[in-house]
């Protein structure tokens, strides 16, 4: 779609006061939406004099990159970052594997009860994490698995699963059945078909499910806060929260820490905004 | 066609990873939570079955004061439904008219949804900072010194100050859902209405809004159940303080569980929340169905 085709008719109409008012509100809300992040990125590069009076909302006059080195050195940020990456990547892999396999069984294999099985999984879209926090905590404690990556990876995978299946079903429907049949006739069997035909063609779903799962576990606070108390295993949200409590007067390094936690998400968003938005829409419309 | 046993086994094997995760982490714990909610339990000894005593205590205890937490959550739900959602709908309607920069606006409005609530909470704490925060600075520069406040520390303002970031963060989410719904309205409907001389307002009211009702329903359900379950931002901003003024059910639950080791009572709150969310979802569905019938 070309943008010109749409904007041309608008240009002919006289610009009314109402339209200008609408535009002003749209721009105002855009500024309000973006302001906290803009402010964070700028004060992460300022010294205290600028932050606390000289230059509160402008761009930094002297770029204090030292804030970032301080956040990295004193605040364990690299460790929290690494923990978040490990948890996110493992969760994405497990969610994808389980979701794509289950989707294959539900949509491609022929058996009674596959529709009910799908509905059963879709229950997961509505179950709040509150429902399982106590049993998970006590069970993990019994298994001596609190304070381990698994204490987060397994619950995160389970709670991302319904969404993963929902998105995968949409994508798998686009793969022509002829391909399965051809492969079957060549004597592939279900596993062969799955590995050679379905899995490679599910790559677009992998991206969408992966992004959605990434955002969920990168930002999750309640489980991460409760299941992990050891500093060396904390993920970014919990780590940043602890840091902010320790350095209440040093805004520069805190800003740097907050930015370090946020920049990966922003980068993903800049490059994949359409996919991200689509995955959120898919979850809501079906859920 | 008769299927060999190995085929059935394969189906089972394909479902196995998902089933283990799903039953182990979601289904079994719900049942366990239901049982724990009927027990007195400190997490160390074996749970003592006490029937509905926790529920009775929950709704009568002055020290827990669940009613205040529920009232706060309901206030958030009301603000969300009657201020946040209408504003999101207005944005979606305006953006769907393809103003210049439509994509940019859409992406900017949605951005706060993706940022960690801890980051957002910490930023708003700084925005509200009584000495150096942007809000008080702005008021001082406008000559409104009397209006400056210790926003999150004052019992009178803390609740509203904590709600603003929550409402702010998710405007973009609801806007996106509604925008996607509006894009799904067949263009013929709009054109026909325009030819019949409908104004933009009439098209919105009589064509678009009725058409996207299923999405509005989802948005209302998310707004209400999300408010009941709200935790992250309140936890970061005030953790229920000052003097419990901003307590919501989830912060109460976490405090009972991990500060007072009352696992039974914590589960009771969890179960109550799940039931409440479920009941509200059904009620909202009924309201939307009735509208359809008329």
């Amino acid at each position: 779609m070309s943008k010109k085709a749409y904007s041309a008719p608008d240009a002919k109409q006289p610009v009314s006061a109402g339209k200008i008012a609408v535009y002003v509100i749209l721009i105002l809300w855009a500024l309000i939406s973006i302001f906290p992040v803009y402010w964070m990125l700028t004060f992460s590069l300022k010294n205290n004099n600028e932050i606390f009076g000289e230059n509160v909302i402008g761009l930094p006059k002297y770029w204090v990159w030292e804030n970032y080195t301080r956040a990295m050195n004193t605040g364990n940020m690299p460790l929290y970052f690494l923990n978040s990456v490990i948890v996110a990547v493992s969760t994405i892999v497990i969610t994808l594997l389980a979701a794509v396999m289950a989707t294959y069984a539900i949509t491609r294999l022929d058996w009674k009860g596959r529709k009910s099985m799908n509905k059963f999984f879709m229950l997961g879209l509505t179950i709040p994490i509150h429902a399982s926090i106590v049993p998970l905590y006590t069970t993990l404690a019994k298994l001596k698995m609190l304070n381990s990556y698994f204490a987060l990876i397994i619950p995160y995978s389970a709670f991302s699963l319904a969404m993963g299946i929902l998105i995968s079903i949409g994508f798998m429907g686009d793969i022509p059945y002829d391909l399965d049949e051809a492969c079957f006739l060549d004597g592939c069997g279900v596993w062969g078909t799955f590995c050679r035909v379905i899995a490679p063609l599910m790559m677009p779903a992998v991206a969408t499910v992966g992004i959605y799962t990434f955002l969920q576990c990168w930002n999750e606070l309640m489980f991460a806060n409760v299941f992990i108390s050891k500093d060396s295993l904390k993920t970014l949200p919990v780590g940043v929260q602890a840091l902010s409590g320790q350095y209440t007067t040093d805004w520069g390094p805190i800003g740097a820490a907050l930015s370090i936690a946020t920049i990966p998400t922003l980068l993903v968003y800049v490059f994949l905004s359409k996919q991200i938005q689509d995955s959120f829409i898919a979850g809501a419309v079906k859920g | 066609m008769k299927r060999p046993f190995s085929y059935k086994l394969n189906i089972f094997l394909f479902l196995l990873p998902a089933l283990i995760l799903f039953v182990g982490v979601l289904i079994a714990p719900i049942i366990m939570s239901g049982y724990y909610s009927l027990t007195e339990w400190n997490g160390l000894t074996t749970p003592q079955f006490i029937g509905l005593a926790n529920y009775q205590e929950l709704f009568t205890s002055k020290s827990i004061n669940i009613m205040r937490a529920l009232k706060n959550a309901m206030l958030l739900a009301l603000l969300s439904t009657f201020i946040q959602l209408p504003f999101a709908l207005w944005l979606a309607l305006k953006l769907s008219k393809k103003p210049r920069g439509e994509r940019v606006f859409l992406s900017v409005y949605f951005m706060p949804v993706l940022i960690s609530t801890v980051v957002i909470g910490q930023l708003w704490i700084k925005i509200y900072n009584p000495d150096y925060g942007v809000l008080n600075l702005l008021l001082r520069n406008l000559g409104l010194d009397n209006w400056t406040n210790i926003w999150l520390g004052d019992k009178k303002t803390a609740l509203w100050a904590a709600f603003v970031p929550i409402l702010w963060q998710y405007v973009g989410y609801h806007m996106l859902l509604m925008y996607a719904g509006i894009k799904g309205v067949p263009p013929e409907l709009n054109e026909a209405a325009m030819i019949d001389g409908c104004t933009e307002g009439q098209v919105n009211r009589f064509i678009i809004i009725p058409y996207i009702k299923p999405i509005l329903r989802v948005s209302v359900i998310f707004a209400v159940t999300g408010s009941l379950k709200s935790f992250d931002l309140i936890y970061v901003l005030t953790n229920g303080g000052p003097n419990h003024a901003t307590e919501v059910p989830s912060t109460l639950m976490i405090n009972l569980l991990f500060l007072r080791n009352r696992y039974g009572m914590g589960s009771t709150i969890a179960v109550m929340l799940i039931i409440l969310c479920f009941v509200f979802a059904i009620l909202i569905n009924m309201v939307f169905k009735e509208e359809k019938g008329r």
Side-chain angles (χ1 to χ4, degrees):
Chain A
M1 280 191 285
S2 82
K3 275 217 154 148
K4 261 194 171 162
Y6 287 119
S7 54
D10 280 355
K12 274 181 211 156
Q13 285 167 9
V15 184
S16 66
K19 263 207 175 128
I20 293 173
V22 167
Y23 224 79
V24 168
I25 300 177
L26 289 181
I27 289 171
L28 216 60
W29 186 252
L31 292 177
I32 294 173
S33 296
I34 219 166
F35 175 77
V37 169
Y38 159 82
W39 192 48
M40 169 184 80
L41 292 174
T42 52
F43 83 69
S44 77
L45 288 165
K46 288 177 186 171
N47 59 34
N48 274 356
N49 290 341
E50 286 192 60
I51 295 170
F52 293 145
E54 279 174 21
N55 176 22
V56 177
I57 56 173
L59 288 169
K61 278 182 207 138
Y62 313 99
W63 293 51
V64 190
W65 288 105
E66 201 201 330
N67 287 337
Y68 280 82
T69 44
R70 277 186 65 199
M72 294 300 265
N73 292 337
T74 56
N76 267 343
M77 281 301 283
L79 193 63
Y80 301 147
F81 198 94
L82 180 72
N83 288 338
S84 272
V85 169
I86 291 173
V87 169
V89 170
S90 318
T91 305
I92 291 171
V93 170
I94 294 176
T95 305
L96 273 170
L97 206 67
V100 174
M101 282 173 72
T103 306
Y104 181 69
I106 290 169
T107 61
R108 294 285 163 140
L109 301 178
D110 187 24
W111 51 291
K112 252 190 250 165
R114 55 191 213 169
K115 287 224 171 90
S116 332
M117 184 58 80
N118 185 23
K119 278 193 189 135
F120 176 66
F121 281 127
M122 289 308 114
L123 279 178
L125 292 173
T126 53
I127 295 175
I129 65 170
H130 301 68
S132 47
I133 192 158
V134 180
L136 278 181
Y137 181 80
T138 52
T139 310
L140 286 168
K142 247 182 235 154
L143 298 173
K144 304 246 178 296
M145 274 170 65
L146 289 174
N147 285 316
S148 71
Y149 290 130
F150 285 109
L152 296 180
I153 293 170
I154 293 169
Y156 287 175
S157 307
F159 276 95
S160 312
L161 190 64
M163 190 66 175
I165 292 177
L166 178 68
I167 296 171
S168 301
I169 284 179
F171 279 96
M172 211 175 277
D174 293 341
I175 302 174
Y177 279 81
D178 303 354
L179 288 178
D180 298 39
E181 270 165 32
C183 198
F184 258 124
L185 290 179
D186 288 349
C188 276
V190 282
W191 289 93
T193 314
F194 178 75
C195 297
R196 285 186 207 158
V197 177
I198 301 291
L201 289 174
M202 282 299 280
M203 281 305 150
V206 168
T208 309
V209 177
I211 295 163
Y212 188 86
T213 311
F214 165 79
L215 291 170
Q216 297 305 308
C217 46
W218 192 261
N219 294 339
E220 204 279 336
L221 178 64
M222 197 192 263
F223 281 169
N225 194 25
V226 169
F227 297 162
I228 304 289
S229 51
K230 226 197 221 160
D231 198 48
S232 62
L233 287 168
K234 279 178 181 163
T235 53
L236 276 171
V238 188
V240 169
Q241 171 75 355
L243 261 188
S244 313
Q246 283 164 26
Y247 300 87
T248 40
T249 50
D250 256 345
W251 286 23
I254 290 295
L258 295 175
S259 303
I260 292 168
T262 310
I263 287 168
T265 321
L266 289 181
L267 280 179
V268 173
Y269 188 50
V270 167
F271 290 109
L272 298 165
S273 60
K274 190 88 180 79
Q275 279 96 322
I276 291 180
Q277 291 164 5
D278 287 349
S279 72
F280 275 82
I281 294 168
V285 174
K286 303 269 176 55
Chain B
M1 193 163 69
K2 188 137 170 61
R3 300 287 189 185
F5 170 73
S6 67
Y7 187 79
K8 282 183 187 154
L9 181 71
N10 277 331
I11 291 172
F12 179 69
L13 287 178
F14 270 106
L15 286 171
L16 193 61
L19 277 177
I20 291 176
L21 280 174
F22 201 70
V23 174
V25 179
L26 274 80
I27 305 298
I30 288 189
I31 298 164
M32 287 161 81
S33 286
Y35 171 69
Y36 291 159
S37 77
L38 304 172
T39 65
E40 180 68 51
W41 187 30
N42 62 12
L44 298 170
T45 54
T46 38
Q48 294 289 315
F49 186 83
I50 52 167
L52 291 170
N54 280 335
Y55 290 86
Q56 200 177 5
E57 189 194 336
L58 178 63
F59 286 100
T60 50
S61 162
K62 285 221 171 75
S63 70
I64 298 176
N65 204 345
I66 186 75
M67 289 329 264
R68 176 176 49 201
L70 279 175
K71 233 182 356 197
N72 288 344
M74 288 314 299
L75 176 64
L76 180 60
L78 286 175
L79 291 172
S80 187
T81 311
F82 293 105
I83 294 176
Q84 183 192 38
L85 293 189
F87 181 57
L89 179 61
W90 184 88
L91 287 175
L93 285 168
K94 292 302 167 195
L95 281 191
S96 68
K97 300 291 185 301
K98 304 186 175 62
R100 215 176 286 265
E102 180 189 2
R103 276 297 310 171
V104 176
F105 281 125
L106 193 76
S107 297
V108 168
Y109 295 163
F110 186 68
M111 190 188 65
V113 179
L114 303 175
I115 295 169
S116 155
T117 43
V118 172
V119 173
I120 285 183
Q122 288 301 337
L123 287 173
W124 280 85
I125 286 176
K126 294 191 170 6
I127 288 174
Y128 284 135
N129 186 294
D131 299 319
Y132 309 111
V134 180
L135 183 57
N136 277 354
L137 186 81
L138 180 78
L139 290 171
R140 270 184 225 120
N141 283 343
L142 292 172
L144 298 167
D145 288 60
N146 302 342
W147 291 22
T148 59
N149 209 326
I150 316 167
W151 300 100
L152 290 168
D154 185 337
K155 263 176 78 176
K156 275 178 262 148
T157 51
L159 189 64
W160 296 88
F163 284 172
V164 167
I166 302 178
L167 298 170
W168 166 82
Q169 187 182 10
Y170 288 100
V171 164
Y173 177 68
H174 295 291
M175 182 268 326
L176 181 73
L177 297 190
M178 294 168 183
Y179 172 86
I182 295 169
K183 286 277 148 172
V185 177
E188 307 91 75
L189 280 180
N190 282 331
E191 282 158 23
M194 289 291 203
I195 290 167
D196 287 347
C198 285
T199 61
E200 192 189 308
Q202 285 170 325
V203 173
N204 287 345
R205 200 170 144 209
F206 296 113
I207 311 246
I208 294 178
I209 292 176
Y211 196 90
I212 62 165
K213 237 177 208 161
I215 291 199
L216 296 180
R217 181 182 59 98
V218 171
S219 264
V220 175
I221 291 179
F222 278 6
V224 172
T225 56
S227 300
L228 288 169
K229 292 184 292 191
S230 61
F231 171 74
D232 288 21
L233 270 171
I234 302 263
Y235 176 77
V236 176
L237 288 166
T238 63
N239 194 12
N243 197 15
H244 301 290
T246 58
E247 210 78 73
V248 286
S250 299
T251 53
L252 268 185
M253 178 186 87
I254 294 291
N255 285 339
L256 280 169
L257 283 174
F258 301 106
L259 292 181
R260 297 199 230 166
N261 285 328
R262 295 201 57 186
Y263 287 74
M265 185 56 93
S267 304
T268 307
I269 296 184
V271 170
M272 180 204 70
L273 269 181
I274 299 163
I275 294 173
L276 269 182
C277 288
F278 198 65
V279 168
F280 271 101
I282 291 173
L283 283 177
I284 293 164
N285 273 330
M286 274 163 54
V287 169
F288 272 84
K289 270 217 182 95
E290 219 159 75
E291 291 259 307
K292 220 187 210 168
R294 270 195 293 178

